[in-house]
Amino acid sequence: MRQALRVGHLRQRLRLSPSYSVFFLRCNSAFAFAGAHRRSVMNYYQPSKNRDYIPLADHALIGNLRTAALVSIDGSIESYCVPNFDSPSVFARILDKDKGGHFSIMPTVPFTVKQNYLPSSNVLQTKFMNELGVASITDFLPRPSSSASATKPLLPWLIRRVECIRGTMPLMMQCAPAFNYAQDTHSTEIVPDTSIPPLDLQPGTPTQNHQNKVVFTSSSGFVLDLRYISESTLDAACVPSIELGTLDLTSKGHKGLAAYSAIQLSEGQAVTFVLRTPPEHEAPMTASATRTGTKAELERKLTLLGPLGVKPRTVHDPFLTKELLHSLLTITNRYWYEWIRQSTYTGSWKEAVHRSALALKLLIYEPTGAVVASPTFSLPEFIGGTRNWDYRASWIRDSSFTLYALIRLGFTQEANAYMEFIFERLRHKNPDGSLQIMYTIHGGKDLEEIELLHLDGHKGSKPVRIGNGAADHVQLDIYGELMDCIYLGQKFGKPLSYDDWVLVRELVDYVVANYKEPDLSIWEVRNKKRHFTYSKIMLWVAIDRGLRLADKRSLPCPNRARWLAARDELYEEIMNKAWNREGQFFGQSYEDTDVLDSAVLIMPLVFFMHGSDPRFISSLKQILKSPERGGLTSNNLVYRYDVTKSEDGVGGEEGTFCLCTLWCVEALTRAGEYDKALLARSVSMFEDFLMYLNHVGLCTEEISDAGEALGNAVQGFTHVTLISAAYNLSRTLEKVKRHD
């Protein structure tokens, strides 16, 4: 319920019973400023027993290159899969507000909120404010420093540090896991925490009793534990007392007890919660490992050994101390800062480009080099619709574009790692020589699509799906994206070996043998195969890049003549069969030349056709028309195609596609080299698009007519094309400026 709140209401404290489930509704509050004839509207959050869904745009992402967590603007972990991107969820409140599972830390009084990343980092800070106090939450998944990653383990912890900055702030912590997509039951126990050294216990805590922690054990045997460290950051402040209790949320559909703690913090007090998967039983450190060494080594040993007489611990399960937690925050923040400072980008819109790069880095699964399309699953492309897909897999198309963007910014290490992942797939390709369009992040081929009917879906958008039924689709365009990525990698990354060139050669031979076949193409239609124009363009790209590689590296190419003939024949075929002579635009497919598809905007981006070509300019101008006038552009945002004219076998509606909008920006840029009006339109469209980035600079897959974020978040494809559009637009503007 929306209501007006006066400032004086903030003085009212809410006394909550332990069983009170604290949630919030967003409220608008208008304040009249004295001496000014204007009103300023601010967003407040008001305590309520039933918290509704938070808009998709009101989330940020944290991660550790194994998995990632979505954090809502009001301090709740809304989506978190453990231990990997594609593992079952333990928190999925974003898909079911009642029983999906959450880990929330929120004030119990009305508050305003600000959320931001620390500079040049993926460490997230959320500030809760009212006139009585300010509290800050710092969220991160720890990363070892780049130089120490080979010697220090990556701790699979989710760390949430809460600190009162000013005044006082009452908060409620709730940790309510819902294991295995909210399908498994679990037990909840409060037990002594033996990972806290006795000297670090809260004042007044008997050493023999220890500090408590919460252990959650699912029916399938998966275990999480929740620990904490409380401290004071000011000499005058005492260490806050924390009590853990259990909370029954079964009335909302939960299958086990949650944990809670009612916290009253004053200025200078802090508490850090650590949620983790406890390590397997490991042998303690040997005596030989305790010998003297450098200062850093001694500090590390103290973390492992603890006080005299206390059983030593392993590097994967160190003593939990405030010094360790401070070190993890510093090292993680430094890791992200040192990574992004390697960027070679010097153009305009640098802040948006670097935030996109940091977002893309979070999508990389470090053990294999695979790149997920998105760390989330089944978020709707249209509220209440059925277009809800699981993107926690590595699409060859999306990954190739991602590596293209990172290479452009100078991040070649990621490109080399992904190339190794891809070449491993090439070594084990299908018997007919083809590749799957997507693989699991571990390189597997099984991505069975399952509908989770017990989950309500975001704002009732059903069904919730895991896995992806498109994994066995024939989408021939992937060979073009992959070959373009390999070609670019040769310019800036690790050179191809002869054996790898043979694999590439076989891939091009497969393309030449199959370029006349129909497919399901980039939009993954689920009815009939067609000769999609986009796929034909990318097949041309695959052959073209193979020829360029052979020429530039002087590599043996026994089928060069066949490749050349196929490339030229395919070009002529596209120009004849995809061209709608009456409408003067390239159609979606040979069969449906009357259907406009923004995927054809890729033409100048992959050098199939120059942006100034009259046929392309005519197609571009048709796309730029509003849907009412036969185009695909609304409010400077671009749709994929008209779903009422193109039957894709899915049904339902969708919003404008961020990828297509940014492709349009880049297409206008290419055409704008020779037409300043189009270049100005490119700048306008790009600047407009940047307004749809959320409060921390992230973007989803789609945007509704009303400007609402839709689809999976964070969407890699969107940030890839943002980087590419900014890179080429900035370069073109500089080029035009020099010539003026």
Side-chain angles (χ1 to χ4, degrees):
M1 182 182 72
R2 293 187 176 276
Q3 57 182 341
L5 294 173
R6 289 191 296 271
V7 177
H9 288 185
L10 295 177
R11 299 186 184 277
Q12 297 176 356
R13 297 296 180 87
L14 302 176
R15 297 188 177 277
L16 306 172
S17 67
S19 62
Y20 194 102
S21 184
V22 181
F23 303 108
F24 297 88
L25 292 174
R26 180 181 259 175
C27 304
N28 285 338
S29 179
F31 293 90
F33 288 87
H37 301 286
R38 61 190 178 91
R39 296 173 67 86
S40 175
V41 177
M42 298 180 66
N43 286 322
Y44 272 87
Y45 289 82
Q46 165 77 359
S48 167
K49 286 187 177 182
N50 295 294
R51 173 188 181 275
D52 206 347
Y53 289 101
I54 296 294
L56 296 180
D58 287 352
H59 293 82
L61 189 71
I62 57 175
N64 62 357
L65 310 190
R66 299 294 190 282
T67 187
L70 273 185
V71 187
S72 67
I73 197 169
D74 62 349
S76 174
I77 305 294
E78 301 277 280
S79 176
Y80 185 44
C81 299
V82 181
N84 300 319
F85 289 112
D86 57 355
S87 300
S89 65
V90 293
F91 303 130
R93 184 194 244 178
I94 201 168
L95 292 171
D96 193 310
K97 64 183 176 64
D98 292 326
K99 59 181 177 290
H102 63 274
F103 182 6
S104 61
I105 303 174
M106 305 180 192
T108 60
V109 293
F111 63 94
T112 60
V113 64
K114 296 288 185 183
Q115 191 175 63
N116 63 279
Y117 286 108
L118 298 186
S120 302
S121 177
N122 278 322
V123 174
L124 185 69
Q125 184 178 69
T126 306
K127 277 191 176 181
F128 302 126
M129 298 167 285
N130 61 34
E131 67 172 12
L132 300 178
V134 176
S136 170
I137 301 180
T138 303
D139 289 313
F140 66 101
L141 276 66
R143 281 286 313 175
S145 65
S146 301
S147 58
S149 59
T151 57
K152 290 191 176 182
L154 185 146
L155 298 173
W157 298 0
L158 170 59
I159 300 178
R160 312 199 72 191
R161 174 183 170 80
V162 192
E163 181 177 0
C164 187
I165 308 299
R166 174 182 63 79
T168 61
M169 184 68 73
L171 302 111
M172 177 69 77
M173 182 282 295
Q174 288 187 5
C175 186
F179 292 92
N180 189 23
Y181 306 108
Q183 296 178 109
D184 290 357
T185 59
H186 71 268
S187 63
T188 305
E189 296 179 282
I190 298 178
V191 301
D193 186 358
T194 58
S195 69
I196 308 293
L199 295 179
D200 282 0
L201 292 176
Q202 295 181 37
T205 303
T207 300
Q208 63 269 26
N209 291 342
H210 295 287
Q211 182 172 294
N212 287 334
K213 68 175 182 179
V214 185
V215 178
F216 305 98
T217 305
S218 77
S219 56
S220 59
F222 188 71
V223 179
L224 291 174
D225 72 8
L226 178 66
R227 304 175 292 163
Y228 70 90
I229 287 288
S230 53
E231 61 178 298
S232 62
T233 60
L234 297 176
D235 293 338
C238 61
V239 175
S241 178
I242 303 298
E243 292 186 13
L244 296 170
T246 58
L247 185 64
D248 188 353
L249 297 177
T250 54
S251 62
K252 291 182 175 293
H254 283 255
K255 297 192 173 185
L257 296 178
Y260 86 96
S261 181
I263 309 165
Q264 180 76 34
L265 293 183
S266 298
E267 183 177 348
Q269 293 183 323
V271 57
T272 303
F273 293 97
V274 178
L275 183 71
R276 64 166 185 169
T277 306
E280 300 286 343
H281 294 291
E282 299 179 32
M285 221 173 58
T286 61
S288 62
T290 67
R291 293 170 186 163
T292 59
T294 65
K295 180 181 178 182
E297 289 171 339
L298 287 172
E299 290 176 351
R300 176 171 170 272
K301 291 165 188 170
L302 287 173
T303 302
L304 296 173
L305 292 174
L308 291 175
V310 178
K311 183 180 178 181
R313 305 181 72 85
T314 68
V315 293
H316 297 284
D317 188 17
F319 280 104
L320 188 63
T321 65
K322 65 180 181 181
E323 291 79 12
L324 173 63
L325 293 173
H326 291 173
S327 174
L328 289 174
L329 174 56
T330 300
I331 291 170
T332 301
N333 202 40
R334 184 187 305 137
Y335 170 84
W336 293 115
Y337 171 76
E338 290 179 346
W339 182 79
I340 196 62
R341 69 194 295 261
Q342 300 172 57
S343 168
T344 58
Y345 186 76
T346 59
S348 303
W349 305 288
K350 191 172 183 178
E351 183 178 351
V353 168
H354 279 181
R355 177 49 56 196
S356 289
L358 284 162
L360 292 177
K361 179 68 170 176
L362 286 173
L363 307 188
I364 294 174
Y365 183 65
E366 190 177 46
T368 62
V371 183
V372 294
S374 175
T376 57
F377 63 98
S378 215
L379 296 180
E381 295 181 12
F382 189 84
I383 299 300
T386 60
R387 295 171 180 257
N388 318 313
W389 315 110
D390 187 349
Y391 282 2
R392 297 171 300 159
S394 185
W395 269 255
I396 286 181
R397 177 190 306 112
D398 299 45
S399 301
S400 297
F401 277 118
T402 298
L403 270 300
Y404 167 85
L406 291 176
I407 287 172
R408 282 294 188 201
L409 300 181
F411 298 109
T412 56
Q413 180 181 347
E414 290 75 15
N416 291 335
Y418 175 67
M419 283 296 103
E420 184 53 42
F421 175 81
I422 282 297
F423 279 112
E424 191 60 30
R425 309 288 78 74
L426 287 174
R427 295 181 191 106
H428 300 90
K429 53 183 176 285
N430 297 328
D432 65 351
S434 66
L435 294 173
Q436 280 199 180
I437 68 164
M438 70 181 87
Y439 294 87
T440 71
I441 56 176
H442 314 283
K445 296 182 178 181
D446 184 13
L447 291 100
E448 179 188 4
E449 185 171 294
I450 300 171
E451 295 185 356
L452 302 179
L453 301 179
H454 66 287
L455 293 176
D456 289 339
H458 182 77
K459 296 184 178 180
S461 304
K462 296 183 178 182
V464 172
R465 296 183 178 92
I466 57 173
N468 200 297
D472 59 356
H473 276 192
V474 176
Q475 297 176 19
L476 297 175
D477 67 282
I478 65 169
Y479 301 102
E481 289 102 357
L482 178 57
M483 285 298 300
D484 201 31
C485 184
I486 292 173
Y487 176 73
L488 191 65
Q490 287 305 286
K491 294 176 68 174
F492 301 102
K494 183 180 177 182
L496 276 178
S497 66
Y498 172 75
D499 290 332
D500 286 344
W501 165 244
V502 171
L503 293 172
V504 171
R505 205 167 61 188
E506 291 172 353
L507 199 65
V508 180
D509 283 336
Y510 174 83
V511 169
V512 170
N514 291 275
Y515 73 90
K516 292 183 177 293
E517 298 298 317
D519 74 335
L520 299 171
S521 201
I522 182 174
W523 303 136
E524 299 179 349
V525 299
R526 295 199 169 195
N527 48 13
K528 60 182 180 180
K529 295 179 182 178
R530 278 164 274 184
H531 294 275
F532 285 97
T533 305
Y534 179 86
S535 290
K536 299 303 181 181
I537 294 166
M538 297 312 294
L539 287 166
W540 177 91
V541 169
I543 304 170
D544 178 74
R545 300 313 188 260
L547 287 165
R548 292 191 190 203
L549 269 175
D551 291 342
K552 290 183 181 296
R553 290 283 311 279
S554 300
L555 294 165
C557 187
N559 294 326
R560 183 190 305 268
R562 286 183 56 210
W563 292 9
L564 279 166
R567 184 189 67 175
D568 292 349
E569 181 182 349
L570 186 52
Y571 196 101
E572 295 284 1
E573 180 182 284
I574 294 168
M575 299 303 285
N576 289 319
K577 294 186 177 182
W579 180 245
N580 183 318
R581 297 185 183 281
E582 182 179 347
Q584 293 292 292
F585 60 84
F586 288 103
Q588 184 180 59
S589 66
Y590 293 174
E591 295 84 353
D592 300 304
T593 57
D594 59 323
V595 176
L596 197 59
D597 190 330
S598 59
V600 302
L601 293 169
I602 199 71
M603 286 180 168
L605 281 59
V606 295
F607 306 108
F608 174 83
M609 173 182 286
H610 198 278
S612 62
D613 188 287
R615 287 197 182 191
F616 180 75
I617 292 291
S618 180
S619 300
L620 174 61
K621 289 182 176 180
Q622 185 64 32
I623 289 171
L624 287 171
K625 293 179 181 178
S626 67
E628 294 76 14
R629 297 176 57 232
L632 297 174
T633 303
S634 176
N635 190 30
N636 251 2
L637 300 171
V638 182
Y639 289 93
R640 294 190 297 175
Y641 49 85
D642 188 338
V643 294
T644 64
K645 294 180 180 178
S646 178
E647 176 55 46
D648 56 17
V650 179
E653 298 179 64
E654 64 179 21
T656 59
F657 228 68
C658 297
L659 161 70
C660 299
T661 300
L662 291 164
W663 271 352
C664 193
V665 169
E666 194 163 348
L668 283 164
T669 300
R670 307 278 180 155
E673 288 188 53
Y674 300 91
D675 186 336
K676 289 186 179 180
L678 294 179
L679 187 59
R681 178 70 186 272
S682 177
V683 174
S684 170
M685 180 175 279
F686 189 60
E687 292 280 5
D688 276 4
F689 179 81
L690 293 180
M691 291 193 296
Y692 292 96
L693 300 180
N694 75 354
H695 59 289
V696 290
L698 301 180
C699 197
T700 54
E701 185 179 14
E702 300 182 19
I703 299 169
S704 73
D705 289 342
E708 183 180 9
L710 298 171
N712 282 303
V714 168
Q715 178 72 9
F717 229 154
T718 300
H719 288 283
V720 164
T721 45
L722 187 153
I723 291 171
S724 182
Y727 179 92
N728 287 294
L729 179 54
S730 183
R731 186 175 61 173
T732 302
L733 289 170
E734 283 297 316
K735 181 179 177 182
V736 170
K737 184 178 178 180
R738 287 196 304 269
H739 291 168
D740 284 347

